[in-house]
């Protein structure tokens, strides 16, 4: 383990799909060659049009004339949708969280392409064969309602208390990236699959129930419908600008230290993409110095490029939030290989 000192590499997801054009105008025939389609986990596009994606896509279109078609959903859902379309590919770029970017690779959905600037991304935050590269770094976390819980719970064990009955919820493992992250962190903190499932079985007594969308839990926490929910640092930090009751925290086990792990938004070029060259240009643009410098200031995340040192107010607040939190590195190869087994074990333990 290592204790957080500065932003290092890094989930999530709404299952309902929303297709949005970042700009209007032009006939579909005329714009066919000037189009790029992005399938992405949610969190980087602002509900008010003020997210990192909103700014980057608008700047990209202004520079290149290429319009971005955006499709949003849960990390697992985006991979499954691309898989269903494998014989008639629709997406050019896919952006999703671990372990789903590894899943996309193992299922043959990605083609090699190393974007300009990828050499500035840490080796642990990109694939060795050039199939995917992190574009925004991020970490798994939890949120609490600061109005009703002035201090966040410190431990996993506290969440078993009666005060959290029907006021705690986490998104569905295997569907949402952040929901899957609950399993990963629990297995790490409790020392394996069996003790983690024993804990999650107990926690189920307080759990409201499944949720395919992580992002939709934050408004419930902000309003006080829930006291605690799962999330991720980037998404929840951005949401807290309009949801003042959100507080971000990291559970510890017993007397141990709080822990988290990296959950980057990782992007890859889709195999047999209809607009491969446009996809390459967009990936280059997302990793450009200009776009990376806006990751924290606009998106509330951490730059993927190590040579981009953000110093804006958000970057300072994010660094402070991560102080003293131990960051562990999951065995993503094992998780990719055994994800179905882990999710099935969770379903059995919780009766989900």
């Amino acid at each position: 383990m290592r204790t957080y000192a500065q932003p290092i590499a890094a989930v999530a997801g709404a299952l309902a799909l929303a297709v949005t054009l970042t700009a209007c105008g032009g006939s579909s025939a005329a714009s066919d060659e000037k189009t790029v389609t992005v399938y992405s986990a949610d969190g980087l596009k602002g509900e008010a049009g003020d997210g990192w994606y909103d700014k980057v896509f608008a700047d990209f279109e202004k520079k290149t004339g290429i319009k971005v078609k955006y499709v949003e959903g849960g990390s697992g859902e985006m991979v499954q949708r691309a898989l269903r379309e494998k014989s008639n590919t629709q997406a050019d770029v896919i952006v999703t969280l671990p372990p789903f970017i590894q899943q996309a690779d193992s299922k043959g959905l990605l083609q090699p392409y190393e974007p300009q600037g990828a050499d500035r991304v840490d080796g642990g935050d990109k694939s060795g064969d050039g199939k995917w590269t992190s574009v925004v770094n991020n970490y798994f976390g939890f949120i609490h309602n600061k109005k009703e819980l002035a201090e966040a719970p410190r431990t996993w064990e506290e969440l078993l208390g009666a005060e959290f009955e029907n006021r705690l919820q986490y998104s569905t493992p295997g569907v949402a990236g952040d929901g899957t992250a609950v399993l990963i962190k629990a297995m790490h903190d409790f020392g394996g699959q069996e003790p983690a499932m024993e804990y999650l079985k107990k926690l189920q007594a307080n759990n409201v129930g499944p949720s395919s969308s992580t992002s939709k839990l934050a408004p419930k926490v902000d309003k006080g419908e829930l006291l605690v929910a799962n999330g991720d640092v980037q998404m929840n930090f951005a949401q807290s600008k309009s949801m003042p009751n959100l507080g971000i925290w990291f559970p510890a086990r017993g007397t141990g230290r709080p822990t988290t792990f990296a959950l980057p938004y990782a992007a890859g070029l889709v195999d047999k993409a209809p607009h491969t060259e446009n996809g390459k240009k967009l990936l280059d643009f997302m990793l450009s110095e200009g776009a990376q410098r806006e990751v924290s200031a606009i998106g509330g995340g951490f730059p993927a490029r190590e040579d981009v040192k953000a110093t804006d107010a958000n970057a300072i607040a994010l660094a402070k939030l991560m102080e003293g939190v131990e960051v562990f590195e999951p065995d993503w190869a094992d998780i990719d290989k055994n994800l179905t087994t882990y999710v099935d074990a969770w379903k059995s333990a919780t009766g989900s």
Side-chain angles (χ1 to χ4, degrees):
M1 290 187 179
R2 50 188 169 183
T3 300
Y4 179 88
Q6 60 182 6
I8 62 177
V11 145
L15 192 56
L17 300 178
V19 182
T20 309
L21 287 179
T22 58
C24 303
S27 68
S28 59
S31 65
D32 200 37
E33 294 302 316
K34 288 290 188 179
T35 297
V36 60
T37 299
V38 177
Y39 283 9
S40 178
D42 66 340
L44 293 176
K45 195 174 192 303
E47 293 184 10
D50 55 355
W52 186 69
Y53 271 163
D54 300 284
K55 180 67 162 62
V56 168
F57 292 168
D59 290 347
F60 176 71
E61 182 180 344
K62 184 177 180 180
K63 179 179 179 180
T64 65
I66 299 171
K67 298 180 186 295
V68 178
K69 292 182 179 179
Y70 178 69
V71 182
E72 181 179 283
S75 290
E77 172 62 16
M78 290 294 89
V79 173
Q80 291 302 312
R81 176 166 175 164
L83 190 61
R84 291 195 301 269
E85 298 170 348
K86 200 171 181 181
S87 61
N88 182 28
T89 308
Q90 302 296 309
D92 300 300
V93 171
I94 189 166
V95 185
T96 188
L97 309 180
F100 296 101
I101 193 66
Q102 289 88 347
Q103 186 182 85
D105 187 8
S106 67
K107 292 184 179 297
L109 293 176
L110 306 178
Q111 60 174 299
Y113 179 66
E114 295 188 16
Q116 296 176 22
D119 59 322
R120 300 291 187 173
V121 176
D122 182 83
D125 304 323
K126 58 187 177 184
S127 64
D129 58 2
K131 294 288 187 64
W132 57 267
T133 305
S134 298
V135 292
V136 172
N137 286 343
N138 191 20
Y139 299 90
F140 175 64
F142 277 71
I143 49 176
H144 70 104
N145 180 291
K146 294 191 297 184
K147 187 175 181 180
E148 295 195 41
L149 288 176
E151 292 188 14
R154 202 191 71 80
T155 68
W156 286 102
E157 288 83 357
E158 288 180 51
L159 298 180
L160 300 176
E163 66 270 29
F164 293 103
E165 184 177 357
N166 292 323
R167 301 193 72 186
L168 176 152
Q169 192 172 18
Y170 61 90
S171 52
T172 307
V175 175
D178 287 331
T180 305
V182 173
L183 290 188
I184 295 170
K185 177 171 160 59
M187 287 192 294
H188 171 270
D189 289 1
F190 286 91
Q193 177 183 322
E194 187 174 339
M197 298 310 159
E198 289 177 1
Y199 169 80
L200 292 172
K201 181 179 182 178
K202 296 177 183 177
L203 186 65
Q204 194 67 10
N206 287 343
N207 188 16
V208 171
S211 172
S212 61
S213 169
T214 309
S215 64
K216 290 182 180 179
L217 299 181
K220 295 181 181 180
V221 174
D222 183 60
K223 294 174 184 176
E225 295 174 23
L226 297 173
L227 291 178
V228 168
N230 68 316
D232 63 73
V233 173
Q234 178 278 323
M235 179 174 64
N236 295 143
F237 188 86
Q239 289 173 318
S240 69
K241 300 301 181 181
S242 60
M243 301 178 193
N245 294 322
L246 292 187
I248 300 171
W249 66 290
F250 307 92
R253 182 191 177 191
T255 58
R257 302 178 71 176
T259 68
T260 188
F261 62 97
L263 270 182
Y265 290 90
L269 187 66
V270 178
D271 188 44
K272 298 181 178 62
H275 305 99
T276 294
E277 293 307 311
N278 293 349
K280 291 178 179 179
K281 290 177 182 177
L282 180 59
L283 289 170
D284 290 346
F285 193 82
M286 287 196 288
L287 268 185
S288 66
E289 284 192 50
Q292 287 290 299
R293 291 190 186 283
E294 295 175 329
V295 166
S296 57
I298 295 177
F302 304 84
R305 289 180 53 153
E306 294 184 310
D307 61 329
V308 174
K309 307 297 183 184
T311 58
D312 57 90
N314 283 351
I316 294 170
L318 287 164
K320 184 176 181 180
L321 178 68
M322 300 295 294
E323 286 179 357
V325 180
E326 292 181 345
V327 180
F328 65 90
E329 298 180 6
D331 184 343
W332 291 115
D334 170 76
I335 294 166
D336 180 39
K337 180 181 178 181
N338 296 301
L339 179 60
T340 300
T341 299
Y342 297 146
V343 172
D344 286 346
W346 169 81
K347 289 179 180 178
S348 177
T350 61
S352 299

